[in-house]
Amino acid sequence: MSTAILTGQPVPGSSIEDELRKLGFDVRLAADAADAETQLAQVPGRERVAVVDARFVGHPHALRLGLTDPRFPLAAVPGAVTAQPEGRRALTRAMARRNPTGTATTLVDSLPDRLVTALDDDGAAVHRPELGSLVAEVPADSQARHEARQSVAAVDDEAVRLKSAVKARDGFFTTFCVSPYSRYLARWCARRGLTPNQVTTASLLTALIAAGCAATGTRAGFVAAGVLLLVSFVLDCTDGQLARYSLQYSTLGAWLDATFDRAKEYAYYAGLALGAARGGDDVWALALGAMVLQTCRHVVDFAFNEAHVAGTDATGNTSPAAALSDRLDSVGWTVWVRRMIVLPIGERWAMIAVLTAVTTPRITFCVLLIGCALAAAYTTAGRVLRSLSRRARRTDRAARALADLADSGPLAEAVARVAAAGSGRRAPAFVSAAAGAALVVAAALVWGPGWWVVLLAAAYVLLAGEAVAHPLKGALDWLVPPFFRAAEYLTVLILAARAEVNGALPAAFGLVAAVAYHHYDTVYRIRGAAGAPPAWLVRAVGGHEGRTLVVAVLAALLTGAQFTVALTALAVAAALLVLFESIRYWVSAHRAGSPAVHDEGETA
């Protein structure tokens, strides 16, 4: 239960008490500041508390934004301030400093606003939501109150709330083909008490049914799969819009939304491959290639963003590439073209759905691979140019995040310790990572399963250790994790394909999917300020270099059929380990009341 302390003399005709109760607050009245301080001390520390001026005039959604957002320990709008349990101490200090014990103070100005000033003076981080056209103020007299109420009546509170439920930066398909109606679906869900997590789960189930339809291998199944994939995407948009509409943010919800997006897309790839196999066409290599490419694209995004987090000491980007980007952004239609070029999830899923319904799985995967490859080339080239021209000094936090994303196991760590002790000149980290990746992937392509691949996989271990021997603070060191992902995933794909036995590629798909989940989970933990997964898990699953070497050795030692069994066993073991630890961590974090987050994730 949340408590709102209403300070000062109630205003005749004011609906502030009713509005606070509708927002879930138990309303208590305080005659003056000293009484408000007493009331504050009586509220249990585990509850949210708000201090609101009785003269407040404004939109209900302004109060909702200011007083109920679970992401911020302290938040305020004019005339109201709130604190969650982690912000209570700061609010209590501010109250005591402004109101000495035993001194009754007549409320002339707004106590909540004075508290916010005291919090600012103390250096507390007080969130102030962007209200836009919404009204939130404490009128000084009846004339000002009348004008404020007229301003409230002039703006449609519900229309603003619906508009704010939609992400500010979405893709073309989502903005013009989904959000115009999905926001109303979000409101429908909110009015019926549905939560974002329930809608997220419905989206996952719909996508899994779509994958099952695709796996039938019939034209009717493919059409149904395409339609259901689009329905799943509409629900995927709705869950985020519902969270923003009702301010139902949570750590668990952000993790479910991000994780289920990947699960839906990759399960659909597997369904398409199964459906093609029923028709006599083996496209497992294409399905696995699409998953590898898409995952590597995401790792590029994550690594670049972590390398350029706020606090990185960087000069302004005045490169020709940046200047061209600014000029293009000044022309309205180019913004939409550039958002479509990168093939965000909305455009990508729409393309997959249409191609599934009207063509074959092989054509679908070929077009998808070409589109994603062009998008990856466009975004990566732009980021490389920006990194080279930005002349930034990476922070220790950014270097640590990149090291966590690298997913180095015990072998690379041992090499790194030896390399770090040396005094010789060393190559840039991204060069060592790129060289190692090129060697092992080229060996798998040229020789297939054999001892040459094992030898060069061992060289990859050495170069991987060399890459992470020192902090990843170079201009292009954010490329190290993507190079490692490409090396591991492509080696598994190529060796499975060269095994030339039924079942090897599906087993490889399962192994890469399990490992990719581990890498995505690492990203979500870093974004939630929890750091990397525990060291025991990274060691247990071997690190990227250990898994690559193990797969190379198994491919050289075993027959094709035995190699398939080994890949399946590795996939099951890795999946059980990473899923157990991931679910344990996120459920524990949710139960422990970890700060709510709302990661917008990939542009829809």
Side-chain angles (χ1 to χ4, degrees):
M1 187 67 178
S2 301
T3 300
I5 301 171
L6 203 58
T7 64
Q9 196 67 27
V11 177
S14 172
S15 61
I16 184 64
E17 287 191 51
D18 290 338
E19 290 172 0
L20 288 170
R21 289 192 177 95
K22 288 178 182 177
L23 293 176
F25 286 95
D26 175 29
V27 179
R28 301 181 185 181
L29 304 180
D32 53 33
D35 190 15
E37 185 176 5
T38 302
Q39 296 271 14
L40 178 63
Q42 293 173 352
V43 177
R46 64 182 180 277
E47 294 182 4
R48 174 192 284 274
V49 64
V51 181
V52 183
D53 196 306
R55 297 168 296 175
F56 177 90
V57 175
H59 288 97
H61 192 50
L63 274 179
R64 183 180 293 106
L65 290 171
L67 302 183
T68 66
D69 196 322
R71 295 173 294 176
F72 308 103
L74 294 163
V77 293
V81 61
T82 185
Q84 295 200 76
E86 56 268 32
R88 281 288 296 278
R89 181 175 296 180
L91 182 62
T92 302
R93 266 199 316 268
M95 180 76 82
R97 190 158 67 85
R98 286 297 177 177
N99 303 288
T101 302
T103 302
T105 305
T106 304
L107 290 176
V108 177
D109 55 348
S110 173
L111 175 61
D113 292 344
R114 282 192 282 141
L115 291 176
V116 173
T117 301
L119 288 167
D120 289 338
D121 291 343
D122 289 341
V126 181
H127 171 68
R128 294 171 172 84
E130 180 62 46
L131 297 180
S133 59
L134 295 175
V135 176
E137 59 181 90
V138 179
D141 51 41
S142 58
Q143 177 61 29
R145 186 175 303 110
H146 175 70
E147 292 174 356
R149 286 174 174 170
Q150 285 185 323
S151 298
V152 170
V155 177
D156 188 338
D157 178 85
E158 181 61 19
V160 173
R161 188 180 177 189
L162 275 173
K163 184 178 180 180
S164 65
V166 178
K167 277 199 293 190
R169 287 179 57 87
D170 255 339
F172 180 89
F173 178 77
T174 305
T175 299
F176 295 104
C177 301
V178 177
S179 291
Y181 56 87
S182 62
R183 69 185 73 181
Y184 295 101
L185 179 58
R187 182 173 66 181
W188 184 89
C189 293
R191 290 177 174 176
R192 283 152 184 81
L194 296 176
T195 67
N197 290 353
Q198 290 171 329
V199 179
T200 300
T201 303
S203 176
L204 173 67
L205 294 175
T206 304
L208 293 178
I209 295 172
C213 291
T216 63
T218 64
R219 177 51 52 193
F222 288 147
V223 172
V227 172
L228 288 173
L229 185 64
L230 290 176
V231 172
S232 175
F233 179 69
V234 171
L235 292 173
D236 183 52
C237 294
T238 301
D239 63 4
Q241 291 166 358
L242 174 58
R244 287 182 287 273
Y245 181 85
S246 56
L247 300 184
Q248 296 184 68
Y249 303 125
S250 70
T251 298
L252 182 64
W255 171 68
L256 287 176
D257 184 50
T259 301
F260 283 4
D261 278 352
R262 305 287 77 80
K264 288 180 288 189
E265 185 164 2
Y266 297 159
Y268 192 83
Y269 292 174
L272 276 178
L274 287 170
R278 285 180 175 271
D281 189 12
D282 187 352
V283 297
W284 275 106
L286 295 176
L288 180 50
M291 180 166 66
V292 168
L293 179 55
Q294 191 56 38
T295 303
C296 288
R297 282 186 64 198
H298 286 144
V299 175
V300 167
D301 294 340
F302 300 147
F304 178 82
N305 290 334
E306 288 301 325
H308 297 85
V309 292
T312 297
D313 182 9
T315 60
N317 191 357
T318 57
S319 67
L324 176 61
S325 178
D326 291 340
R327 286 197 297 270
L328 288 174
D329 282 343
S330 66
V331 182
W333 64 269
T334 63
V335 174
W336 294 113
V337 172
R338 295 174 70 196
R339 290 187 193 177
M340 293 171 68
I341 287 175
V342 300
L343 208 61
I345 188 171
E347 277 75 359
R348 192 168 67 248
W349 283 25
M351 181 183 73
I352 293 171
V354 172
L355 290 174
T356 298
V358 301
T359 65
T360 66
R362 179 171 292 274
I363 292 175
T364 301
F365 281 125
C366 287
V367 174
L368 177 63
L369 284 166
I370 293 170
C372 287
L374 292 174
Y378 170 78
T379 55
T380 304
R383 286 168 176 169
V384 167
L385 289 174
R386 287 195 290 275
S387 297
L388 290 174
S389 62
R390 192 167 285 175
R391 296 182 181 178
R393 288 200 307 270
R394 306 286 176 239
T395 63
D396 291 337
R397 179 206 177 282
R400 180 69 258 169
L402 291 177
D404 291 339
L405 287 174
D407 187 33
S408 299
L411 294 178
E413 289 178 347
V415 173
R417 285 192 293 270
V418 174
S423 57
R425 188 172 181 177
R426 59 186 295 269
F430 78 93
V431 173
S432 297
L439 283 176
V440 70
V441 171
L445 276 171
V446 174
W447 291 295
W451 294 107
W452 277 110
V453 178
V454 174
L455 178 63
L456 290 174
Y460 171 66
V461 171
L462 296 176
L463 288 167
E466 167 65 20
V468 297
H470 298 281
L472 300 176
K473 294 186 176 183
L476 295 179
D477 283 354
W478 57 269
L479 287 170
V480 169
F483 280 137
F484 287 164
R485 297 298 82 77
E488 179 183 1
Y489 298 166
L490 288 175
T491 299
V492 173
L493 188 161
I494 295 167
L495 291 178
R498 294 293 296 272
E500 298 180 350
V501 294
N502 289 333
L505 280 167
F509 188 98
L511 176 59
V512 172
V515 174
Y517 176 88
H518 169 58
H519 292 144
Y520 280 116
D521 189 57
T522 301
V523 170
Y524 304 143
R525 291 188 192 223
I526 292 173
R527 285 182 167 179
W536 72 261
L537 177 64
V538 177
R539 295 191 181 99
V541 295
H544 68 93
E545 81 291 346
R547 290 187 298 270
T548 303
L549 182 59
V550 166
V551 170
V553 170
L554 291 174
L557 282 175
L558 304 177
T559 65
Q562 292 170 335
F563 182 54
T564 299
V565 174
L567 285 179
T568 303
L570 285 175
V572 172
L576 289 176
L577 279 172
V578 299
L579 283 172
F580 169 80
E581 166 55 24
S582 175
I583 294 172
R584 183 208 63 79
Y585 167 76
W586 290 104
V587 171
S588 298
H590 179 69
R591 289 176 176 172
S594 295
V597 298
H598 186 57
D599 182 6
E600 294 291 359
E602 183 186 1
T603 300

